[in-house]
Amino acid sequence: MNEESNVNHGRSLLIKAILIFPVLWIVLTVFNGVAFWHSTILGVALLLISYLGDLMILPRVGNMTATIGDLALGFIVLWGGLNLLGYSESLGEAFLAGAIISVGEYFFHSWLLKTQYGNTYV
């Protein structure tokens, strides 16, 4: 049986969006002057890319490795995206937002493994 067949993607994406967007809006837009739409576009990109990683990588490598991967992915996507959008001094903002999101990702992964994948050994 395919592990992904039990996953409620709508619920999982909603929870992940609730985790990512407020962090980006607060860290990037409120405190660092990044345009709201730029933060939102980066949030959509990060949401979709990291969710695909959660589906493909999380069940195979476990929570801690996936969380470290999310930290690296979040930093790279945010830093690269901010630079592409013209925010050249964005290293700190990208790392801070990625780190905060990664803390939430650890708990999201635990929930996902328990409720969606049926893994009781999280």
Side-chain angles (χ1 to χ4, degrees):
M1 182 160 118
N2 186 358
E3 286 180 352
E4 293 179 26
S5 64
N6 295 329
V7 177
N8 182 332
H9 296 292
R11 180 184 302 157
S12 298
L13 281 167
L14 178 62
I15 291 170
K16 195 165 184 82
I18 291 170
L19 168 71
I20 291 174
F21 287 108
V23 172
L24 294 184
W25 290 332
I26 292 168
V27 172
L28 299 181
T29 300
V30 174
F31 291 118
N32 292 295
V34 173
F36 175 80
W37 291 111
H38 289 164
S39 296
T40 303
I41 290 167
L42 291 172
V44 169
L46 185 58
L47 173 71
L48 297 176
I49 293 168
S50 66
Y51 188 66
L52 287 175
D54 290 342
L55 293 177
M56 294 186 296
I57 297 170
L58 175 63
R60 292 173 179 81
V61 301
N63 191 358
M64 189 54 71
T65 304
T67 300
I68 293 168
D70 277 333
L71 173 61
L73 177 70
F75 171 70
I76 291 167
V77 167
L78 294 174
W79 187 45
L82 286 167
N83 277 294
L84 286 172
L85 293 169
Y87 300 96
S88 59
E89 297 181 18
S90 58
L91 184 72
E93 295 93 353
F95 183 77
L96 178 61
I100 293 169
I101 290 169
S102 292
V103 171
E105 287 282 357
Y106 177 82
F107 297 103
F108 174 72
H109 292 161
S110 294
W111 173 82
L112 194 62
L113 286 168
K114 286 179 188 173
T115 63
Q116 304 297 302
Y117 290 124
N119 185 347
T120 57
Y121 303 103
V122 178

